[in-house]
Amino acid sequence: MHPETLVRDHTIYACVMGSRAFGLATEGSDTDRRGVFLAPTPLFWRFEKPPTHVEGPAEEQFGWELERFCELALRANPNILECLHSPLVEYADDTGRELLALREAFLSRRVHGTFTRYAHGQRRKLDADVRTHGAPRWKHAMHLLRLLMSAHDLLRTGTLTIDVGDRRESLLAVKRGEVPWPEVESRMTRLAEEGEEAARRSPLPEEPDRRRVEDFLVRTRRASALRAVQPVPYDEVVQGVVRGGGVGQG
């Protein structure tokens, strides 16, 4: 099965991300689309496994296979968690809606470490730009500020909200280079410090609900397998295995 076919025929969830989801779109902003597809279970019975992700087929489109998506979300990957909380959902079937209903199961205090590491990496790049060119890439500076705000709010409230709301204009001023770099640095440092304090008092659990997510994944894989099984004598054995009975069990 071609990767494009997996995206076209087996997507369970699709959304818009990037500036449009963040409430920071301006004229000419791209439309970044992200999605989750469910590879049919029989594809995993082959030596060659289905892809964990697919780029395309449209421009600015990227999708993950459900299991890979869940793995990354359990690790508190910032991009994946934000994808689950996009306010611009374009498509969700029954399985996709169940995935969305699991959003809180993926959230934990792990977000502090993952968001912080990502922010540190972006900050080093901005500092390198300042040393080399005398100024940062202002668009990247804006998005780092947005990420730090989002992480702080998530740790403080336990809720991930990615639309910047009334912070839009102050962030766009950074993107336009209207805010001096020392002031932007000060904001970043303050948000990082506030994030440390919020992490110590966060209502989020220490760990994500891995068992709940795994139960969802197993049920989804089993349902996919049963849909693929044909009602012939040989396949009755396969159905028994898929349902958890095992070979040779009554």
Side-chain angles (χ1 to χ4, degrees):
M1 184 174 291
H2 295 295
E4 313 85 66
T5 304
L6 287 170
V7 174
R8 186 189 68 226
D9 296 343
H10 298 282
T11 289
I12 63 169
Y13 171 67
C15 67
V16 173
M17 285 302 298
S19 294
R20 296 192 184 280
F22 301 145
L24 292 168
T26 57
E27 186 177 351
S29 290
D30 292 332
T31 300
D32 300 321
R33 288 186 163 86
R34 300 292 180 265
V36 182
F37 61 89
L38 174 63
T41 300
L43 294 182
F44 292 91
W45 299 341
R46 305 173 180 177
F47 286 123
E48 184 178 353
K49 307 303 181 186
T52 58
H53 60 271
V54 174
E55 187 170 355
E59 292 186 10
E60 309 298 337
Q61 183 179 9
F62 193 94
W64 295 268
E65 207 283 323
L66 177 61
E67 183 174 342
R68 179 60 173 166
F69 186 87
C70 288
E71 287 176 348
L72 292 173
L74 286 168
R75 296 177 194 172
N77 179 289
N79 291 325
I80 298 293
L81 291 180
E82 290 188 332
C83 184
L84 270 176
H85 290 77
S86 173
L88 303 178
V89 175
E90 293 191 314
Y91 174 78
D93 65 7
D94 289 343
T95 305
R97 286 189 288 273
E98 188 171 357
L99 175 64
L100 289 176
L102 284 172
R103 285 185 296 192
E104 287 72 20
F106 293 105
L107 297 178
S108 71
R109 294 191 184 190
R110 286 187 180 188
V111 301
H112 180 242
T114 56
F115 277 66
T116 297
R117 285 193 294 273
Y118 184 81
H120 283 168
Q122 295 303 305
R123 178 68 180 270
R124 286 194 294 271
K125 293 178 182 179
L126 292 172
D127 289 339
D129 286 339
V130 173
R131 290 193 300 269
T132 304
H133 305 292
R137 285 173 287 184
W138 291 109
K139 179 179 178 180
H140 292 189
M142 175 193 72
H143 281 299
L144 178 51
L145 275 174
R146 182 208 63 78
L147 180 76
L148 289 167
M149 292 173 180
S150 180
H152 170 259
D153 290 347
L154 169 58
L155 289 164
R156 182 175 57 84
T157 67
T159 300
L160 179 55
T161 303
I162 67 173
D163 190 305
V164 300
D166 59 8
R167 297 163 170 170
R168 170 183 164 87
E169 291 308 318
S170 65
L171 286 168
L172 288 177
V174 172
K175 180 182 179 182
R176 293 190 295 266
E178 297 171 357
V179 183
W181 174 238
E183 183 177 337
V184 175
E185 282 188 302
S186 178
R187 290 187 196 177
M188 291 177 177
T189 300
R190 186 182 72 253
L191 284 167
E193 292 172 350
E194 291 175 352
E196 291 284 347
E197 179 62 26
R200 287 191 286 270
R201 304 182 180 186
S202 179
L204 291 173
E206 288 291 338
E207 297 291 333
D209 194 341
R210 185 181 181 89
R211 179 173 295 183
R212 185 180 168 198
V213 174
E214 189 170 51
D215 175 71
F216 159 69
L217 180 62
V218 170
R219 286 188 290 102
T220 301
R221 288 272 191 253
R222 181 178 293 131
S224 173
L226 290 172
R227 285 194 296 269
V229 170
Q230 299 299 317
V232 297
Y234 171 78
D235 286 333
E236 291 178 2
V237 177
V238 177
Q239 288 186 8
V241 173
V242 169
R243 291 194 179 99
V247 177
Q249 297 183 20

